[in-house]
């Protein structure tokens, strides 16, 4: 009994907190992706915002707790992702209540009713790009030293390019022209990576060190 309690207490507070947040972002990314947002001349599906948070969090966890722990976090992320997809499919098949708000009846399938190709694309692109991000972040350590934000941006940009190639190709190849769509998505993700990733990593690393009783800056 004592060993079990000690094992439970060995989980750092930062890892516990960010793991919960990570799981939530995995599930909400697919829902927000139903909306296309315009950021000046750039257009992107809104799911990129929680997805970039996932990238920043996994990089921050790699900085705090090492590559192996960050990779486990990415693998565990498949559980809420697949669970959310399966639960959505089940709920979509259930009959709606006759008194349900009429516009919501029409909107619900549009928001959650993705094609099987998009669902498969989401799973594959998530696993590949997040794993690549952690690997690149760790491999760049010797080149950038303590500058985690620099490593994070480079890893995020490259992994997001791969993510776009996979997701757009699997989802839309043979259905619609994809070159312009892919180029626009890549450009937007690269720009947002430069803007958001350093901020997210700084927050994760600094908050994580405070939660774990460390004194250092990102």
């Amino acid at each position: 009994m004592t060993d079990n309690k000690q094992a439970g207490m060995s989980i750092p507070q930062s890892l516990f907190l960010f793991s919960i947040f990570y799981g939530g972002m995995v599930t909400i990314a697919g829902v927000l992706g139903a909306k296309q947002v315009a950021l000046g001349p750039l257009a992107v599906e809104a799911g990129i915002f929680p997805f970039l948070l996932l990238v920043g969090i996994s990089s921050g966890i790699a900085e705090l707790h090492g590559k192996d722990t960050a990779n486990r976090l990415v693998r565990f992320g498949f559980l809420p992702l697949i669970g959310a997809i399966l639960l959505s499919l089940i709920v979509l098949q259930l009959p709606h209540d006759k008194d349900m708000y009429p516009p919501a009846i029409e909107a619900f399938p549009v928001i959650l009713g993705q094609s099987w190709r998009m669902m498969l694309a989401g799973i594959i692109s998530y696993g590949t790009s997040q794993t690549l991000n952690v690997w690149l972040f760790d491999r760049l350590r010797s080149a950038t030293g303590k500058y985690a934000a620099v490593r994070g941006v480079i890893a995020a940009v490259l992994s997001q390019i791969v993510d776009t190639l996979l997701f757009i190709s699997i989802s839309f190849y043979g259905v619609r022209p994809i070159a312009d769509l892919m180029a626009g998505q890549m450009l937007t993700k690269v720009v947002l990576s430069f803007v958001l990733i350093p901020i997210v990593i700084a927050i994760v690393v600094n908050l994580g060190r405070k939660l774990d009783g460390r004194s250092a800056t990102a």
Side-chain angles (χ1 to χ4, degrees), residues 118-183:
M118 291 185 68
M119 292 179 183
L120 179 63
I123 294 172
I124 293 175
S125 60
Y126 161 78
T128 303
S129 63
Q130 289 287 343
T131 301
L132 177 62
N133 175 73
V134 172
W135 182 81
L136 287 170
F137 184 84
D138 184 72
R139 291 287 292 179
L140 290 168
R141 189 180 299 273
S142 60
T144 61
K146 67 179 181 178
Y147 299 106
V150 176
R151 277 181 277 139
V153 169
I154 296 172
V157 167
L158 294 177
S159 65
Q160 287 306 291
I161 290 174
V162 171
D163 175 81
T164 303
L165 286 169
L166 288 172
F167 185 82
I168 299 298
S169 297
I170 297 171
S171 296
F172 302 115
Y173 182 76
V175 176
R176 55 170 292 182
I178 63 174
D180 290 343
L181 177 63
M182 194 175 288

Side-chain angles (χ1 to χ4, degrees), residues 12-18 57 59-66 137 141 144-149 151 198 200-218:
Q13 285 188 348
S14 63
L15 183 57
F16 181 75
L17 172 65
F18 290 124
I57 292 170
S59 295
I61 292 298
E63 180 72 6
L64 290 168
H65 304 293
F137 184 84
R141 189 180 299 273
T144 61
K146 67 179 181 178
Y147 299 106
R151 277 181 277 139
V200 176
I201 291 178
I203 292 173
V204 170
V205 172
N206 283 289
L207 178 58
R209 285 173 173 160
K210 289 181 180 179
L211 289 171
D212 298 339
R214 306 178 191 181
S215 57
T217 57

